[in-house]
């Protein structure tokens, strides 16, 4: 799967705020993701994102 900055990923488990969609802020060995529900930022290893990704939709880069 090809991930790019600005894309929206839907992950397997929802965030405690209720949203399961995350915006990709940074791509590399680790991904920086921003929750679309509450705006919380997290750093997650690439392998974990690839494993738990349930959907990917392109988003416009800001």
């Amino acid at each position: 799967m090809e991930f790019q900055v600005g894309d929206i990923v839907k992950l397997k488990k929802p965030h405690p705020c209720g949203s399961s969609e995350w915006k990709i802020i940074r791509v590399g060995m680790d991904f920086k993701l921003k929750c679309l529900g509450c705006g919380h930022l997290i750093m997650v290893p690439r392998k974990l994102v690839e494993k738990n990704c349930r959907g990917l939709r392109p988003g416009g880069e800001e």
Side-chain angles (χ1 to χ4, degrees), residues 20-56:
S20 60
E21 291 193 328
W22 299 80
K23 183 172 186 174
I24 299 175
I25 305 296
R26 179 178 167 268
V27 178
M29 280 297 289
D30 294 323
F31 281 18
K32 188 171 195 176
L33 302 175
K34 180 179 181 181
C35 177
L36 292 181
C38 64
H40 186 78
L41 293 171
I42 60 169
M43 292 288 284
V44 184
R46 174 183 282 271
K47 194 172 189 178
L48 197 62
V49 173
E50 290 173 348
K51 177 183 169 191
N52 293 319
C53 182
R54 293 295 177 251
L56 176 69

